[in-house]
Amino acid sequence: MKLAYWMYAGPAHIGTSRVASSFRNVHAIMHAPLGDDYFNVMRSTSERERDFTPVTASVVDRHVSARGSQEKVINNISRKDEEQCPDLIVLTPTCTSSILQEDLQNFVDRASLSSESDVTPADVNYHRVNELQAADRTLEQIVRHYLDRARKQGTLDRSVTDAPSANIIGISTLGFHNQHDCRELKRLLGESGISVNQIIPEGGSLRYLKDLPRAWFNTVPYREVGLMTAIFLEKEYGMPYVSVTPMGISDTAKFIAQMEEIVNAWASVLLERELNYKLYVENQTKFVSQAAWFSKSIDCQNLAGKEAAIFGDATHAASITKILVRETGIRVRCSGTYCKHDAEWFNEQVQGLRDEIPVTEDHTKVGDTIALIEPSAIFGTQMERHIGKRIDIPCGVISSPVHIQNFPPGYRPFLGYEGTNQIADLIYNSFNLGMEDHLLDVFGGHDTKEVSTKSLSTDRNLNWTSEAESELKKIPGFVRGKIKKNTEVFAKQNDITEITVDVMYAAKEKSSS
Amino acid sequence: MKMLEIPTFECETGNYHTFCPISCVAWLYQKIEDSFFLVVGTKTRGYFLQNALGVMIFAEPRYAMAESEEGDISAQLNDQKELERICLQIKRDRNPSVIIWIGTCTTEIIKMDLEGMAPKLENRLGVPIVVARANGLDYAFTQGEDTVLAAMTHRCPDYNSYAMNLHKQDAIKDNADSTVVKKSLFEKCKLNNYNLVLFGSLPSSVASQLNSESKRQSISVSGWLPSQKYAELPALGEGVYVCGVNPFLSRTATTLMRRRKCQLIGAPFPIGPDGTRCWIEKICSVFDVEPNGLEERENQIWKNLKDYLGIVTGKSVFFMGDNLLEISLARFSIRCGMAVYEVGIPYMDKRYQAAELLLLQQTCKKMKTPMPRIVEKPDNYSQVQRMHEPKPDLAITGMAHANPLEARGIDTKWSVEFTFAQIHGSINARDALELVTRPLRRKNDSLLGCSSLSKQTIRS
């Protein structure tokens, strides 16, 4: 057992439900107690979804836990089949069904006999995988299922399209800015003369999955969801994939370069000419995206050497780290992720770009690390935003888990060239607001705040005398925390328990010498 | 209590959306200031809580998860040792006066003996541990509070009426020389003659409003379950009268009667001016007090609500059902002049809610409307189908259905707000109507052209 207040990634069935409800006409049935269909609330409120979320619970109550579900799950499947005629019903295990050790496969086999819809159990182990891994796995499972079937039935068309085309894999409901990213990716591909073959799972239809291999290649914008599917398609159907996330100017260029290489492998045969994106990239970088110019402008000069802390999922944390370090000259003191399962990749990506890499699911560890570093800005999830609020450091939200305000109706992609503009705004606004705040402090604008240490830890056996405290209050806010900390460190080193004005001065003398 | 024969009771499949009962920690940890709630269960529960509680989660709440891992489920780890380690940590970090363990479906299914472990750990830790099994296998949403309060009932001190009376007489004797003191003491004793404990968690301002409602009839409330602090739990025992303020507290009521020998006053619930008046009247009748000025007071409140009543009169409403407040709210809505198509409710205790059901019946007769059908354990899918035909002006429903219904041209009010808003007592009748009328007042002329904003067909 572990004591937990907060989790970054949700439980497995959330991931499965995200993938299932992203597809068109797929219904997920959860084998769960009353109240576990909370996913519907999240989707309906956060995404402001107009339609009923195609997820229902086959309710586990006292009777079920005592004598098993028996016919209940099967009846619920048949009922959904009749009422809504979905193409596929995904029977989703939850912690409850895994503890009850009910044989979901058996339910599925029996229900399939009578139902028009396909029925399949989601193949995820509740205790071993989290939301993201489960989503990745479920997507691969569905794709594999339909491709295998098409192959068996001989309906699989393995010829590639005449013009270059690509699949976009991994856009899903409740994904961070996924809808906007998808639009931007489509634009990026379109401008490069590549048509989009299919987008899965969001808005995808199972009937067309068999045509997935007709694309020239796959793109996987996010590492968390879709990579397994891309690897499967590469292995079984020889489809290459681009897994570079086109976030930031240099990675977008890298993405296009990889794409170029893949496309040209076919283009030289099919189109009898090679495509060249060099001009496109140059034009976009210089003029469409403002980010390159932005990092050259005076504004960005002021950011040089400023310190930041980054935390989020592997994709976003790694990309933002690269952008901050390489494209804006900001010093990244710590860059971490909660995707423990992908730690190796993450470490490799941010190698040499940051001082510390917290890979943890414990938000208090993240909070303490940030408090210790005292960066000028934080880029993280909603949790880091609140950590920032408590220690008075501005925060830009770059990754799930997020709130409803991170599902903006306006166009806010993180990917592609428009994405670079959005990210530039986000970075600049975070730092700028911090500067303004400090200027106000310097000129005594609202210097009525109580003295606070910028740390979250509660252990304090040091005693500040009232004179020392009022002396501390005279120090401008933006260095006050640091001076307080230095003084306390000095006091501890010298076994002083009461901090007087003299101790403060002594500490200052020591640190300046 | 007499049972009511209401022909329109129905029971459906129970495929409905509601909150998991562990959500009660959200308001209970705020109400009981020195408590700490520990939810024992899997990630699913924690994820629900952190999403359902929204911003509260960032305010260092006094609750946490004891998250079961694979080793706990397969009993490789010793539950008691694990819980001891976690509770020690809580004691060290937060020093609460009571730790409340919330059992979940997980602990039910793996049959973790929380009730057996609690007394052992309580001795070792020196902190009281109360166990409430607020799980989704047995209960819905607000019933979570019911399980916690029922468990708390056992921790209330004993009320020994004999000893207390003696003590009072002594006090009067001691102060016999001062007539002023004597008089005031006499009045105090007169008030205190009734030992009335109210049960149900309400914000402290609402609790004191209800206190003053009854004080106006010279009946003083001697305590509340729960109290603001764990240490201030009211004394219970024979001779103590108890009365519920919320319709979902049937287990607590049963426990108070059977285990603590209290007398239950079965009254309608003080929601709306009509409910509040009947509630007070019932309490007065039990204590043989002639109610004073209640009718004028109720009329005055209705008069003050005139502007809101203009909006709701003649409108129709459909309760999908998820928090057990539905019967009282439907009764209040009908009295306001609304037509109620259906009252969905997770669980219907016909005995505990008898007086409320009777008032509903009387209200229907008075307002000359038919009794609404009451659907226990509703089926949300069927309800949505039923809603298509009469197309109610307002659906009171959970968040899972609110946006999709709005997109189909049915105005909705999020039902959970009724559990968090202040709706009890005459004073708060306005707030309750404020909630009901908000979607009805929101009409946006520029959007009138598009009554449906959904691409999906009627089917789902």
Side-chain angles (χ1 to χ4, degrees):
Chain A
M1 253 179 238
K2 83 178 179 208
L3 189 61
Y5 297 89
W6 166 264
M7 62 188 82
Y8 284 100
H13 71 270
I14 299 284
T16 300
S17 307
R18 273 178 58 186
V19 167
S21 59
S22 292
F23 276 114
R24 252 186 294 164
N25 215 19
V26 172
H27 201 99
I29 292 186
M30 280 193 311
H31 188 249
L34 202 61
D36 274 6
D37 54 353
Y38 191 73
F39 174 76
N40 298 31
V41 177
M42 286 167 54
R43 185 160 181 269
S44 177
T45 54
S46 296
E47 289 251 57
R48 296 182 199 85
E49 187 50 62
R50 297 158 192 237
D51 292 323
F52 291 99
T53 302
V55 175
T56 41
S58 172
V59 178
V60 175
D61 56 15
R62 193 49 78 179
H63 298 293
V64 172
S65 77
R67 42 168 217 155
S69 298
Q70 299 186 344
E71 298 302 312
K72 196 169 181 181
V73 175
I74 295 161
N75 289 343
N76 277 320
I77 294 175
S78 318
R79 198 186 141 189
K80 257 317 128 195
D81 174 52
E82 274 169 39
E83 283 167 356
Q84 286 173 298
C85 317
D87 295 333
L88 171 71
I89 294 175
V90 181
L91 186 56
T92 309
T94 60
C95 58
T96 309
S97 64
S98 91
I99 300 168
L100 284 172
Q101 301 192 326
E102 292 216 69
D103 187 357
L104 298 188
Q105 185 63 52
N106 172 41
F107 294 146
V108 165
D109 292 342
R110 284 165 59 203
S112 318
L113 292 177
S114 60
S115 73
E116 297 280 320
S117 324
D118 298 329
V119 190
T120 182
D123 181 20
V124 290
N125 182 319
Y126 186 88
H127 291 289
R128 302 203 177 144
V129 298
N130 66 19
E131 170 188 351
L132 301 169
Q133 293 163 290
D136 202 15
R137 176 83 189 90
T138 305
L139 183 59
E140 191 244 18
Q141 192 197 340
I142 292 176
V143 168
R144 184 190 288 266
H145 181 81
Y146 282 92
L147 285 182
D148 283 355
R149 189 158 82 179
R151 190 148 63 176
K152 259 183 229 149
Q153 292 173 344
T155 52
L156 196 65
D157 182 0
R158 298 193 64 169
S159 64
V160 294
T161 53
D162 296 338
S165 63
N167 298 318
I168 301 175
I169 300 178
I171 306 291
S172 73
T173 186
L174 287 172
F176 184 70
H177 291 241
N178 272 203
Q179 310 287 355
H180 312 291
D181 283 350
C182 183
R183 215 169 111 192
E184 187 61 23
L185 260 185
K186 267 159 70 180
R187 193 168 92 175
L188 185 67
L189 291 170
E191 284 173 355
S192 319
I194 296 167
S195 63
V196 175
N197 184 48
Q198 276 181 46
I199 299 166
I200 55 167
E202 185 63 43
S205 173
L206 300 180
R207 244 168 283 167
Y208 305 122
L209 283 186
K210 63 175 173 46
D211 293 330
L212 272 179
R214 297 203 63 203
W216 290 21
F217 67 101
N218 293 316
T219 59
V220 185
Y222 316 110
R223 283 192 68 74
E224 286 75 23
V225 182
L227 208 52
M228 274 180 91
T229 311
I231 292 170
F232 160 74
L233 288 169
E234 186 189 40
K235 231 171 154 180
E236 300 276 319
Y237 296 90
M239 295 179 76
Y241 64 88
V242 184
S243 65
V244 174
T245 304
M247 200 186 301
I249 288 181
S250 43
D251 274 3
T252 305
K254 205 165 149 195
F255 174 87
I256 295 174
Q258 287 199 8
M259 205 164 75
E260 185 182 81
E261 199 180 312
I262 291 171
V263 170
N264 280 337
W266 284 101
S268 50
V269 185
L270 287 177
L271 307 177
E272 289 170 350
R273 64 186 172 87
E274 296 219 333
L275 298 169
N276 189 339
Y277 295 124
K278 222 169 148 191
L279 256 176
Y280 172 73
V281 170
E282 199 182 313
N283 187 47
Q284 293 284 320
T285 307
K286 280 188 178 163
F287 306 111
V288 174
S289 162
Q290 302 295 320
W293 162 237
F294 168 75
S295 63
K296 195 95 186 69
S297 70
I298 301 300
D299 280 343
C300 209
Q301 208 176 64
N302 287 336
L303 296 183
K306 284 240 174 304
E307 295 183 345
I310 296 169
F311 196 82
D313 63 20
T315 302
H316 289 87
S319 296
I320 296 291
T321 305
K322 289 187 227 168
I323 292 170
L324 285 184
V325 175
R326 292 185 190 147
E327 295 173 20
T328 48
I330 288 161
R331 180 156 176 236
V332 174
R333 288 289 304 276
C334 109
S335 168
T337 181
Y338 56 85
C339 296
K340 276 170 117 171
H341 60 278
D342 212 11
E344 205 177 311
W345 176 85
F346 185 79
N347 287 339
E348 197 183 293
Q349 291 296 306
V350 298
Q351 201 66 46
L353 299 178
R354 78 298 154 258
D355 302 343
E356 280 179 69
I357 317 180
V359 176
T360 177
E361 289 170 331
D362 183 351
H363 78 275
T364 54
K365 268 189 201 152
V366 178
D368 286 344
T369 310
I370 293 174
L372 217 63
I373 292 173
E374 289 183 43
S376 314
I378 308 168
F379 296 92
T381 70
Q382 278 293 340
M383 188 34 118
E384 282 68 46
R385 195 171 75 86
H386 285 269
I387 290 171
K389 265 190 190 167
R390 277 164 57 197
I391 54 180
D392 249 342
I393 297 175
C395 176
V397 175
I398 55 144
S399 156
S400 295
V402 288
H403 288 166
I404 188 161
Q405 67 260 42
N406 303 108
F407 291 92
Y411 188 48
R412 301 258 192 287
F414 269 64
L415 302 186
Y417 287 109
E418 178 54 31
T420 61
N421 292 337
Q422 298 291 339
I423 294 170
D425 276 348
L426 181 75
I427 294 171
Y428 184 65
N429 287 340
S430 305
F431 281 105
N432 196 32
L433 291 175
M435 277 297 286
E436 253 170 54
D437 209 39
H438 289 162
L439 285 174
L440 276 174
D441 270 354
V442 171
F443 297 112
H446 45 221
D447 208 356
T448 50
K449 278 178 274 177
E450 280 298 295
V451 180
S452 69
T453 39
K454 293 202 170 186
S455 86
L456 295 170
S457 57
T458 47
D459 75 311
R460 274 212 263 156
N461 37 21
L462 289 167
N463 190 19
W464 285 73
T465 63
S466 53
E467 293 84 45
E469 284 214 20
S470 57
E471 185 67 22
L472 192 62
K473 275 184 193 159
K474 289 180 201 156
I475 297 163
F478 68 105
V479 284
R480 191 188 293 149
K482 209 153 218 165
I483 292 192
K484 179 161 193 199
K485 206 172 81 186
N486 287 345
T487 312
E488 288 184 343
V489 169
F490 173 82
K492 266 185 197 160
Q493 282 167 350
N494 294 286
D495 281 334
I496 299 167
T497 50
E498 192 175 67
I499 297 176
T500 58
V501 181
D502 290 339
V503 176
M504 281 177 75
Y505 291 155
K508 184 160 182 277
E509 224 172 271
K510 177 115 184 302
S511 64
S512 54
S513 65
Chain B
M1 257 177 283
K2 75 173 177 199
M3 295 278 276
L4 261 184
E5 277 311 311
I6 293 183
T8 38
F9 269 115
E10 283 168 52
C11 188
E12 279 189 310
T13 60
N15 276 328
Y16 63 102
H17 170 79
T18 182
F19 272 16
C20 177
I22 59 170
S23 53
C24 68
V25 306
W27 63 88
L28 286 176
Y29 91 78
Q30 295 189 48
K31 173 73 191 174
I32 310 168
E33 287 166 359
D34 50 356
S35 62
F36 191 98
F37 285 79
L38 183 70
V39 182
V40 188
T42 48
K43 245 180 169 235
T44 311
R45 324 285 157 234
Y47 198 66
F48 161 73
L49 268 187
Q50 87 179 34
N51 281 293
L53 266 58
V55 193
M56 273 192 247
I57 197 99
F58 299 107
E60 288 212 44
R62 288 186 318 279
Y63 83 80
M65 288 286 306
E67 198 181 302
S68 316
E69 291 162 302
E70 205 167 7
D72 300 305
I73 308 286
S74 55
Q76 286 163 356
L77 298 168
N78 181 312
D79 294 334
Q80 189 170 327
K81 274 194 190 133
E82 293 290 302
L83 279 171
E84 182 172 352
R85 184 174 53 79
I86 284 174
C87 287
L88 271 172
Q89 198 180 334
I90 292 167
K91 190 187 170 188
R92 200 183 55 220
D93 293 349
R94 306 291 184 93
N95 195 27
S97 317
V98 60
I99 297 176
I100 295 142
W101 287 353
I102 303 287
T104 60
C105 335
T106 321
T107 56
E108 288 298 314
I109 295 170
I110 63 175
K111 309 229 177 334
M112 196 187 280
D113 183 20
L114 294 177
E115 275 97 344
M117 282 184 279
K120 287 180 207 157
L121 286 187
E122 186 170 313
N123 278 336
R124 297 175 72 149
L125 259 71
V127 179
I129 295 174
V130 174
V131 180
R133 298 168 163 203
N135 62 74
L137 295 176
D138 302 308
Y139 306 109
F141 194 16
T142 48
Q143 286 181 290
E145 176 181 322
D146 194 20
T147 61
V148 173
L149 295 190
M152 286 268 199
T153 304
H154 299 286
R155 303 302 180 112
C156 294
D158 252 328
Y159 168 78
N160 191 326
S161 55
Y162 180 63
M164 275 178 95
N165 277 340
L166 271 186
H167 181 74
K168 257 179 229 150
Q169 278 164 12
D170 284 350
I172 294 169
K173 251 185 248 160
D174 288 350
N175 293 299
D177 44 331
S178 157
T179 46
V180 186
V181 173
K182 192 176 169 187
K183 201 180 167 202
S184 72
L185 255 173
F186 174 73
E187 275 178 355
K188 209 171 157 212
C189 285
K190 190 183 158 204
L191 277 172
N192 280 345
N193 262 341
Y194 321 111
N195 277 295
L196 175 63
V197 170
L198 300 181
F199 58 96
S201 164
L202 292 180
S204 60
S205 61
V206 181
S208 51
Q209 282 158 9
L210 288 183
N211 284 347
S212 72
E213 291 268 6
S214 69
K215 202 169 239 158
R216 201 170 280 138
Q217 306 302 330
S218 62
I219 297 167
S220 88
V221 175
S222 54
W224 279 81
L225 175 72
S227 45
Q228 207 70 22
K229 292 222 163 70
Y230 177 74
E232 293 162 4
L233 283 176
L236 297 175
E238 220 161 327
V240 173
Y241 285 86
V242 291
C243 188
V245 297
N246 267 325
F248 44 77
L249 298 171
S250 47
R251 272 177 74 90
T252 311
T254 316
T255 316
L256 284 165
M257 285 192 295
R258 294 198 184 145
R259 306 295 295 277
R260 303 303 305 260
K261 307 288 174 227
C262 300
Q263 297 258 12
L264 179 71
I265 303 175
F269 302 100
I271 293 169
D274 49 339
T276 310
R277 178 184 167 187
C278 292
W279 180 74
I280 281 286
E281 272 175 352
K282 187 63 196 280
I283 293 175
C284 286
S285 77
V286 168
F287 291 122
D288 238 352
V289 171
E290 189 64 39
N292 184 7
L294 277 181
E295 194 178 346
E296 297 84 65
R297 191 171 156 71
E298 194 198 339
N299 291 339
Q300 187 56 45
I301 303 258
W302 285 119
K303 216 184 262 170
N304 294 345
L305 295 176
K306 224 172 161 187
D307 46 343
Y308 279 139
L309 293 179
I311 301 171
V312 295
T313 306
K315 295 274 177 10
S316 56
V317 57
F318 192 112
F319 289 86
M320 284 186 80
D322 72 345
N323 59 13
L324 284 93
L325 292 171
E326 289 87 2
I327 302 285
S328 312
L329 287 175
R331 178 260 301 153
F332 176 45
S333 312
I334 291 170
R335 180 63 184 75
C336 290
M338 298 182 91
V340 177
Y341 286 138
E342 178 169 325
V343 185
I345 186 167
Y347 168 72
M348 181 73 237
D349 186 334
K350 288 178 211 164
R351 275 194 302 178
Y352 176 64
Q353 294 221 41
E356 182 64 82
L357 283 169
L358 190 68
L359 182 59
L360 172 68
Q361 233 173 10
Q362 289 164 349
T363 305
C364 286
K365 208 177 276 171
K366 185 174 172 185
M367 302 303 291
K368 298 194 178 60
T369 53
M371 262 299 271
R373 62 195 273 180
I374 296 172
V375 181
E376 208 180 345
K377 287 171 173 281
D379 185 287
N380 280 165
Y381 184 85
S382 314
Q383 283 184 314
V384 171
Q385 305 303 312
R386 284 202 290 276
M387 226 182 278
H388 284 311
E389 197 36 53
K391 226 179 182 192
D393 294 306
L394 183 68
I396 296 187
T397 179
M399 265 306 196
H401 295 98
N403 270 339
L405 285 173
E406 288 279 353
R408 282 157 185 74
I410 295 175
D411 284 327
T412 59
K413 180 77 229 139
W414 185 28
S415 55
V416 174
E417 280 191 65
F418 289 99
T419 38
F420 292 119
Q422 310 193 339
I423 58 168
H424 291 76
S426 301
I427 302 171
N428 295 312
R430 222 184 150 75
D431 287 39
L433 271 181
E434 165 76 25
L435 286 181
V436 174
T437 54
R438 199 173 299 155
L440 301 172
R441 278 180 286 132
R442 196 176 60 145
K443 279 291 170 242
N444 194 336
D445 286 337
S446 62
L447 286 176
L448 277 181
C450 37
S451 63
S452 173
L453 289 163
S454 162
K455 281 193 207 159
Q456 228 174 32
T457 47
I458 278 301
R459 287 200 62 121
S460 55

